[in-house]
Amino acid sequence: MEIGRGKTGRRAYALDEIGIVPSRRTRDPEEVSISWQIDAYRFDLPVVVSPMDSVVSPRTAIEIGRLGGLAVLDLEGLWTRYDDPQPLLDEVAELGTAAATRRLQEIYTAPIQDELIGRRIEEIRAAGVTTAVRLSPQRTVQHHKAVIDAGVDIFVIRGTTVSAEHVSGRAEPLNLKQFIYELDVPVIVGGCATYTAALHLMRTGAAGVLVGFGGGASHTTRNVLGVVVPMATAISDVAAARRDYMDESGGRYVHVIADGGMGGSGDIAKAIACGADAVMVGSPLARAAEAPGRGFHWGSEAHHPDLPRGRRVEFGTIGTLAEILHGPSSVADGSMNLMGALKRTMATSGYSDIKEFQRVEVVVAPPQP
């Protein structure tokens, strides 16, 4: 499409601009499987919980694991900077809107401690659930040894935008291909939003690729940087890169995980319909009674020392983690019983598992006012 005489652009679609088309067959929701597997780890739910202090603590990571999902602990968050961050989390929940960003910047200046990294990982491992943690590309080299020594199961390297070809004149950038090759654990990397960037990340040996810029409802990347790629198009493009990489690599399958921009059950279903194997969500579970943020939600972008690209958002509390994931729901807005809704969407469309459902027909459907 022509933007102006000197610039053209492709039309891209957000998740709320598409709809899922039922097929000629329907199924009983009880006969639908929403499980998925990455490397040696199998999960009952296609849900990866975002590495955000407002959602994931060691305690909630354990609970989410027991409920069938995977939670990622942020190793650059408060849990690795303070022995007991709960008083600070309580303080953040009490702050006024105007003071929140500055105070978040202040409390996140405390140094990350390798001893606390090991302690938090061991706490989650001791509960018998799959342990996943996140570092940014900038801190991976500095802290990855503490992560591996503690026995993590899945390593997530997540930033606003992660590439396999970072250029820097100030410091030696992380060599993702070499780093992943030398590790004995599966690595998930992202975010990315284009076919080419995803293909390059897949060639590093990553087990999974995050699609999107993270943060969802709590980030302001579009306003601050002007960077945005609507999620329906981004997921579809990265799924195409996965298909082509399978041909290129002789059959190696890289999992696509949609990261951000999914506020309810319908968005989750549409993300998988576009080609995602699982979704990374934060705000839907920030509403849980167990969430450390007490109904408030923020990501790592919100406390950047020089250029915050996120904010603390108030969602309130609507139920427990179990109720939000598995129901029963007491509301009709898609914010509870997320997995029951996904099963019903797949059953209505006639598909029995995630891989089949990725082939469902979708249409362009302008969002309702």
Side-chain angles (χ1 to χ4, degrees):
M1 298 177 64
E2 185 179 281
I3 307 299
R5 289 183 180 273
K7 182 69 69 173
T8 60
R10 182 164 61 112
R11 175 69 166 93
Y13 296 93
L15 291 172
D16 63 358
E17 294 179 287
I18 66 167
I20 295 168
V21 180
S23 69
R24 62 180 177 84
R25 180 187 295 113
T26 57
R27 295 182 181 274
D28 188 320
E30 295 304 314
E31 297 178 2
V32 170
S33 170
I34 55 173
S35 64
W36 73 298
Q37 181 168 336
I38 184 166
D39 202 83
Y41 303 99
R42 185 175 181 83
F43 304 96
D44 294 334
L45 312 180
V47 171
V48 183
V49 184
S50 298
M52 295 176 164
D53 282 340
S54 54
V55 183
V56 180
S57 66
R59 186 170 70 89
T60 57
I62 292 167
E63 179 63 17
I64 289 162
R66 289 172 175 167
L67 291 169
L70 175 68
V72 183
L73 184 69
D74 185 7
L75 295 185
E76 298 176 26
L78 299 179
W79 296 96
T80 57
R81 297 175 191 264
Y82 298 92
D83 284 321
D84 180 14
Q86 193 58 55
L88 291 170
L89 290 164
D90 294 340
E91 178 190 347
V92 171
E94 299 296 332
L95 290 172
T97 302
T101 297
R102 182 174 296 278
R103 182 59 179 144
L104 285 171
Q105 289 175 311
E106 291 172 352
I107 64 177
Y108 280 92
T109 59
I112 298 168
Q113 303 176 47
D114 282 353
E115 187 271 333
L116 285 176
I117 287 177
R119 191 193 306 175
R120 304 308 185 198
I121 292 173
E122 289 166 7
E123 183 179 346
I124 300 171
R125 279 179 56 84
V129 300
T130 303
T131 307
V133 298
R134 171 263 181 186
L135 285 171
S136 66
Q138 294 85 355
R139 296 186 187 269
T140 293
V141 172
Q142 181 181 356
H143 296 292
H144 79 276
K145 188 176 187 303
V147 174
I148 300 304
D149 289 348
V152 74
D153 295 314
I154 297 175
F155 199 148
V156 179
I157 301 175
R158 180 180 185 256
T160 301
T161 303
V162 177
S163 77
E165 297 182 5
H166 182 66
V167 178
S168 174
R170 297 183 300 167
E172 185 68 25
L174 174 66
N175 185 325
L176 273 175
K177 188 170 186 177
Q178 179 182 343
F179 179 80
I180 292 173
Y181 177 79
E182 293 175 352
L183 290 182
D184 291 328
V185 300
V187 178
I188 297 172
V189 298
C192 69
T194 66
Y195 172 95
T196 302
L199 192 59
H200 284 202
L201 288 178
M202 292 173 185
R203 288 169 178 161
T204 67
V209 170
L210 298 172
V211 185
F213 302 117
S218 67
H219 84 68
T220 57
T221 301
R222 178 173 186 163
N223 295 335
V224 177
L225 301 184
V227 174
V228 60
V229 180
M231 281 295 285
T233 296
I235 296 166
S236 301
D237 284 350
V238 175
R242 175 185 60 202
R243 177 200 62 211
D244 292 348
Y245 178 69
M246 282 185 68
D247 292 338
E248 174 188 304
S249 63
R252 184 174 181 271
Y253 189 91
V254 178
H255 291 81
V256 172
I257 303 169
D259 179 10
M262 285 158 288
S265 54
D267 294 330
I268 292 172
K270 287 188 278 189
I272 294 174
C274 287
D277 298 290
V279 296
M280 178 173 274
V281 296
S283 59
L285 298 181
R287 298 178 173 94
E290 302 95 323
R294 294 171 45 191
F296 287 88
H297 184 46
W298 65 93
S300 59
E301 301 88 355
H303 55 78
H304 191 282
D306 302 316
L307 189 65
R309 300 180 305 280
R311 55 177 174 250
R312 188 203 59 170
V313 181
E314 183 176 7
F315 285 111
T317 300
I318 60 172
T320 65
L321 284 170
E323 289 169 339
I324 292 172
L325 288 172
H326 294 298
S329 174
S330 58
V331 295
D333 60 2
S335 61
M336 298 183 73
N337 196 5
L338 302 178
M339 297 299 98
L342 175 60
K343 282 187 173 184
R344 189 165 293 276
T345 301
M346 292 170 62
T348 301
S349 304
Y351 294 91
S352 61
D353 60 40
I354 295 292
K355 288 287 192 296
E356 283 189 357
F357 185 56
Q358 290 170 344
R359 301 197 297 267
V360 70
E361 181 184 355
V362 299
V363 294
V364 176
Q368 296 179 340

